[in-house]
Structures are given as structure tokens and as C-alpha cells.
Amino acid sequence: MLRPCLSALQPTVYCAEQARLKSTIYVGGLENAVNEKLLADAFLPFGEIVDVSIPKPELPSSKEPHQGFGYIEFEVAGDAKEAIDNMDQSEFFGRVLKVAAAKPQKDSNEGLGSKTAVWETEGWIARHGGVSEEDRLATQQAQQAKAPGEAMANPDTDVVGPRLE
């Protein structure tokens, strides 16, 4: 069974997942000719590689072989750091690579591309406490108070404005 790690930044990420994330790197700027074997061969000098993945295009009609980036998971986190230090901004198949530590995948209900407004997520409501009592009272007072001479709709006509008597 996985036990939660004591981390203020990522309280719900488990220890095994954190260790795996630390040993995984992002490699961006890949040429279309690059495949998983070529990528693995290029990073093999830095340590034992557990997994290499290059995501395919989301659209089935796309003629591109991949999205231009990939992930490499090393056996040891130190090897991943060594690969980042040595391969970031290096040239590979005529392209300059961007090599960095991989970030955890975001939930599809969070961030850009989400179909839910940020203020409707439980995390946002918990952090910001929803509507303050002061705002709630101000809204109620504004609804109850009627200013004299305020524009009103005349039910007899389509004219908006003060009623003439």
C-alpha cells in the first residue's frame, strides 16, 4: 500500500509517485524523425532508462508521427538530473532540445482547457471561502433599497423611465 508523503506542495501525491516523478524528464523540440529508440539511445549514457514515451498526436487525421516532445524515466533520480544538466539546449537531429524535470499531469478539471470555471472547483472554494458575509449583506441591502427617481418600466408602454403623473 502506498503511504502519503509529507509534502506541503503536493499533499496528495504518494511517495512512490514522487520518486518516479523526480526520475522522469521532459524532452521537447523533437524532430519528426526521432522515435523512442533513438531518444533512448541518446540519453542512455546518463543512466539506466526505465521507460521512454513520445505522445502521438491527439487528432487521428494528423500526419505528424508525434507531438514533438517525450518523457524519459530513469532508474535513479540523480541520472535524470545529470541528463537535464548535460542535454538541455543541446542539438539533436538539427533541433535544439528543451530538457527539464517532468511536471505532474494536471487533472482535466483544472487549469486551461478545463470546462469548469475556476470558482466552481472545490479547491478554489475551499481556499477562498466562497462569498464573504460582507459581500452578501451589501447585495441584500442593494436589492432592498429603492432609490427615489429610479428608472422603472412602465407596464402600459414600452418606455423605460420615471412615471409621469
Side-chain angles (χ1 to χ4, degrees):
M1 183 173 143
L2 296 174
R3 61 183 171 79
C5 283
L6 300 175
S7 169
L9 298 176
Q10 299 171 336
T12 59
V13 176
Y14 292 97
C15 289
E17 291 176 40
Q18 274 188 336
R20 184 173 181 211
L21 189 60
K22 287 181 181 176
S23 63
T24 303
I25 63 172
Y26 162 86
V27 182
L30 298 177
E31 168 64 38
N32 285 339
V34 175
N35 59 28
E36 291 174 351
K37 174 149 180 30
L38 290 170
L39 192 58
D41 290 345
F43 283 83
L44 192 57
F46 303 105
E48 189 68 32
I49 294 175
V50 175
D51 186 36
V52 176
S53 65
I54 302 176
K56 303 291 182 217
E58 292 179 12
L59 296 174
S61 62
S62 175
K63 298 197 185 324
E64 304 294 322
H66 53 73
Q67 294 182 357
F69 66 90
Y71 297 97
I72 302 172
E73 182 183 350
F74 287 91
E75 184 81 27
V76 180
D79 295 341
K81 177 145 180 35
E82 191 73 22
I84 293 168
D85 292 342
N86 287 289
M87 294 295 284
D88 188 35
Q89 300 301 309
S90 66
E91 190 173 325
F92 187 61
F93 276 76
R95 291 255 186 101
V96 176
L97 296 179
K98 166 69 174 143
V99 183
K103 295 179 181 174
Q105 187 172 3
K106 288 187 177 182
D107 186 11
S108 63
N109 292 332
E110 293 181 13
L112 294 175
S114 169
K115 298 196 178 5
T116 305
V118 67
W119 53 85
E120 291 180 358
T121 60
E122 289 183 28
W124 190 90
I125 293 171
R127 281 193 308 274
H128 295 85
V131 178
S132 70
E133 189 61 32
E134 183 181 333
D135 289 342
R136 192 182 335 269
L137 287 173
T139 303
Q140 285 176 351
Q141 289 173 354
Q143 289 174 348
Q144 291 172 354
K146 297 251 183 192
E150 184 178 335
M152 295 182 283
N154 189 340
D156 299 333
T157 65
D158 290 337
V159 177
V160 176
R163 290 187 184 178
L164 301 173
E165 310 209 66

